[in-house]
């Protein structure tokens, strides 16, 4: 029966077709993940439990980070990270009005948690690689600065050497938003291991998926302990020093003992089930993404006078979340025209995430500070990305390159 079920699921998964030549996202899960999730459901072990704990352990082993705490999204991981660093139990914690440096070009929920904890987001410009501009960041550090939140955007890695030095010199917390860069490396070390806390997303379009899901990693026991408590209700169920709380509060039923504030950011064990299998496939997925990126780079190199091509920086491993392009100033076409042409040819495009977030309407309502955001403004109007995922075959890559070819040859007419 098991084999019959496996074959049935495999056949159903193989039926999946996208109506696009190059969709933004293609599913990377199949019978392994579905059968594991089915096992959770049929054994009625559906809420956070054994499989989430095992996935957390496997994730820590993969990353070489001491502690991992799974949550229901990357956004939740970011909220949890800043909630920990602003918690009264943390020494020299972030307080209301303190400043947190973030890149202006990122996803909204890198920045919103700063606002949620009452801190002031300081939006700093990015460079040609869409990563925090170190020199401009230095100018924005003030006596109010308490943390830096670098984002490894689209799988490319920030200059963690320079950022770590700055954090150390100014005694700042470091939180790496690694939601788009699982498996990327800097100096042979995994992105997400350079900071006090790092965060990951397992949304459907990311390197691995638990459908929705995220992870918070840290090598600091106190941060890990708070992550377990704040993740779920502020109670001690997942505390790593539960007995201490129990001994200190003999009159309170330990089954419902609350020792801090908290949210409910828990994942289900179905998400854990997916994670267990997806993580085993991650290195294979990254190799495939890297191969595809190399082929695209080779084919598009001839348009470099019009387009800023993405690159893997020296001493890093890029994990190619997507393939971004910036249309250079003075090009005889607009970014909108190129995107429209690609969309017409079945290649799905998106802006480089939130563009310059300082220009998004949400920021009209909240206190924040902006540096000089010249590049972010340019990127918002002149850059876009299309998807890279492990399932793109050579035929699709060839057709994508042909679509570019047709666009550029139409310019010459
Ligand atoms: C850089 C970055 N941070 C945070 C998030 C939030 O992750 P999630 O969608 O899992 O909430 C994303 C989502 O794509 C992201 O790209």
């Amino acid at each position: 029966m098991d084999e019959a079920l496996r074959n049935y699921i495999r056949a159903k998964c193989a039926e999946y077709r996208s109506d696009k030549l190059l969709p933004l996202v293609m599913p990377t899960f199949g019978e392994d993940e579905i059968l594991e999730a089915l096992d959770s459901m049929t054994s009625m072990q559906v809420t956070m439990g054994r499989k989430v704990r095992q996935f957390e352990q496997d994730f820590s082993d993969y990353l070489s980070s001491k502690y991992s705490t799974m949550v229901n999204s990357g956004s939740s991981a970011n909220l949890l990270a800043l909630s920990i660093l602003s918690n009264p139990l943390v020494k020299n914690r972030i307080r209301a009005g303190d400043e947190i440096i973030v890149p202006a070009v990122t996803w909204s929920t890198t920045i919103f948690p700063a606002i949620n904890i009452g801190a002031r987001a300081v939006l700093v410009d990015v460079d040609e690689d869409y990563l925090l501009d170190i020199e401009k960041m230095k100018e924005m550090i003030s006596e109010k600065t308490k943390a830096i939140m670098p984002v490894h955007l689209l799988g490319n890695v920030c200059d963690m050497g320079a950022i770590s030095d700055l954090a150390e010199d100014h005694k700042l917390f470091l939180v790496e938003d690694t939601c788009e860069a699982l498996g990327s490396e800097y100096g042979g070390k995994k992105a997400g291991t350079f900071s006090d806390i790092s965060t990951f997303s397992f949304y459907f379009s990311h390197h691995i998926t638990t459908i929705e899901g995220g992870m918070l990693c840290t090598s600091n026991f106190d941060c890990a302990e708070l992550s377990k408590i704040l993740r779920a209700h502020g109670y001690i169920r997942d505390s790593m020093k539960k007995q201490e709380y129990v001994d200190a509060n003999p009159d309170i039923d330990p089954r419902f003992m609350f020792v801090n504030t908290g949210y409910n950011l828990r994942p289900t064990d179905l998400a854990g089930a997916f994670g267990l299998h997806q993580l085993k496939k991650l290195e294979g997925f990254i190799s495939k993404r890297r191969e595809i990126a190399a082929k695209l780079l080779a084919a598009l190199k001839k348009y470099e006078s019009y387009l800023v091509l993405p690159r893997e920086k020296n001493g890093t491993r890029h994990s190619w979340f997507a393939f971004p392009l910036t249309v250079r100033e003075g090009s005889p076409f607009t970014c909108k025209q190129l995107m429209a042409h690609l969309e017409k040819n079945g290649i799905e495009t998106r802006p480089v995430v939130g563009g310059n977030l300082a220009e998004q309407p949400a920021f009209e309502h909240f206190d924040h500070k902006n540096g000089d955001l010249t590049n972010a403004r340019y990127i918002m109007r002149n850059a876009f990305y299309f998807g890279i995922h492990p399932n793109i075959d050579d035929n699709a890559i060839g057709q994508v390159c042909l679509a570019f070819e047709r666009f550029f040859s139409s310019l010459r007419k």
Side-chain angles (χ1 to χ4, degrees):
M1 176 57 192
D2 261 4
E3 210 38 46
L5 185 59
R6 179 174 281 275
N7 288 338
Y8 168 77
I9 294 171
R10 184 181 301 152
K12 290 303 284 181
C13 290
E15 280 173 18
Y16 175 82
R17 291 280 174 279
S18 168
D19 57 353
K20 304 268 186 220
L21 167 66
L22 181 49
L24 211 58
V25 190
M26 294 271 282
T28 55
F29 61 85
E31 72 255 29
D32 297 332
E33 291 82 356
I34 294 170
L35 280 169
E36 193 70 59
L38 211 54
D39 169 72
S40 300
M41 283 194 282
T42 50
S43 62
M44 309 297 156
Q45 311 271 308
V46 288
T47 57
M48 189 178 81
R50 181 176 62 80
K51 291 180 187 175
V52 165
R53 279 196 297 277
Q54 185 60 53
F55 179 42
E56 289 173 340
Q57 184 55 54
D58 293 355
F59 200 85
S60 283
D61 293 344
Y62 173 77
L63 203 69
S64 298
S65 172
K66 226 165 169 178
Y67 307 101
S68 295
T69 298
M70 190 182 183
V71 288
N72 54 14
S73 72
S75 305
S76 297
N78 282 341
L79 177 63
L80 189 56
L82 291 195
S83 300
I84 291 166
L85 297 179
S86 57
N87 195 272
L89 294 192
V90 169
K91 214 172 117 204
N92 203 22
R93 70 184 171 112
I94 303 171
R95 291 173 184 272
D98 283 344
E99 294 181 353
I100 301 179
I101 288 183
V102 289
V105 176
T106 181
W107 188 246
S108 59
T109 53
T110 303
I111 303 183
F112 290 160
I115 295 165
N116 295 145
I117 64 160
R120 192 176 197 207
V122 177
L123 278 63
V124 169
D125 211 0
V126 296
D127 57 23
E128 268 204 346
D129 297 306
Y130 317 101
L131 303 173
L132 258 181
D133 182 311
I134 306 292
E135 292 311 311
K136 288 187 180 174
M137 178 170 69
K138 284 180 189 165
E139 288 165 20
M140 297 305 289
I141 294 178
S142 74
E143 69 281 2
K144 285 245 166 207
T145 310
K146 257 319 194 5
I148 309 174
M149 228 172 141
V151 180
H152 306 300
L153 207 73
L154 302 174
N156 210 352
V157 199
C158 297
D159 183 347
M160 289 316 297
I163 294 173
S164 302
D165 287 349
L166 273 177
E168 206 177 307
D169 291 349
H170 294 269
K171 300 198 171 15
L172 307 176
F173 291 116
L174 251 189
V175 178
E176 274 171 286
D177 181 333
T178 323
C179 288
E180 297 189 359
L182 173 58
S184 296
E185 291 176 9
Y186 177 91
K189 265 181 75 181
K190 293 264 166 6
T193 58
F194 294 86
S195 43
D196 298 291
I197 298 179
S198 59
T199 60
F200 297 83
S201 165
F202 311 130
Y203 180 61
F204 191 51
S205 54
H206 290 232
H207 292 85
I208 61 170
T209 185
T210 58
I211 306 178
E212 295 274 7
M215 195 72 87
L216 179 149
C217 295
T218 180
S219 287
N220 177 300
F221 177 85
D222 294 332
C223 288
E225 168 68 4
L226 277 172
S227 75
K228 306 289 178 199
I229 290 171
L230 269 57
R231 167 176 63 181
H233 310 287
Y235 66 19
I236 61 170
R237 187 168 298 172
D238 301 303
S239 163
M240 297 185 288
K241 46 180 193 182
K242 197 169 173 177
Q243 198 54 47
E244 282 181 34
Y245 291 120
V246 174
D247 292 344
N249 300 281
D251 294 338
I252 300 175
D253 188 325
R255 291 172 299 178
F256 282 167
M257 186 189 292
F258 301 91
V259 292
N260 211 308
T261 57
Y263 308 101
N264 182 359
L265 309 174
R266 286 177 307 204
T268 67
D269 233 29
L270 278 68
F274 262 57
L276 288 176
H277 291 274
Q278 284 273 291
L279 190 61
K280 290 189 190 126
K281 300 174 183 174
L282 172 62
E283 280 301 312
F285 291 160
I286 292 174
S287 298
K288 203 74 219 294
R289 284 172 181 267
R290 290 174 58 78
E291 255 173 55
I292 295 162
K295 287 178 184 166
L296 287 167
L297 283 171
L300 301 183
K301 191 159 175 48
K302 58 186 171 211
Y303 309 123
E304 231 173 349
S305 55
Y306 299 125
L307 302 172
V308 179
L309 299 184
R311 62 176 180 141
E312 180 172 66
K313 299 189 321 173
N314 282 343
T316 70
R317 176 169 89 148
H318 200 315
S319 62
W320 296 99
F321 179 85
F323 197 90
L325 289 167
T326 302
V327 176
R328 289 189 194 277
E329 228 169 329
S331 291
F333 58 90
T334 63
C335 182
K336 274 192 182 149
Q337 285 169 328
L338 178 54
M339 278 197 288
H341 172 83
L342 295 176
E343 291 278 354
K344 216 167 78 198
N345 284 275
I347 300 160
E348 262 190 294
T349 63
R350 288 288 184 278
V352 174
V353 290
N356 175 19
L357 277 156
E359 291 181 67
Q360 293 281 0
F363 283 83
E364 287 164 23
H365 315 300
F366 302 106
D367 180 35
H368 65 283
K369 205 159 114 184
N370 302 335
D372 159 38
L373 301 180
T374 308
N375 290 337
R377 285 184 64 80
Y378 190 82
I379 285 165
M380 189 167 195
R381 288 155 186 81
N382 297 286
F384 68 98
Y385 70 82
F386 57 86
I388 285 193
H389 34 78
N391 299 331
I392 308 171
D393 60 21
D394 278 349
N395 176 44
I397 297 172
Q399 295 209 45
V400 169
C401 296
L402 206 62
F404 276 92
E405 194 87 52
R406 281 198 293 265
F407 181 79
F408 284 99
S409 60
S410 77
L411 289 180
R412 288 193 285 272
K413 281 178 190 151

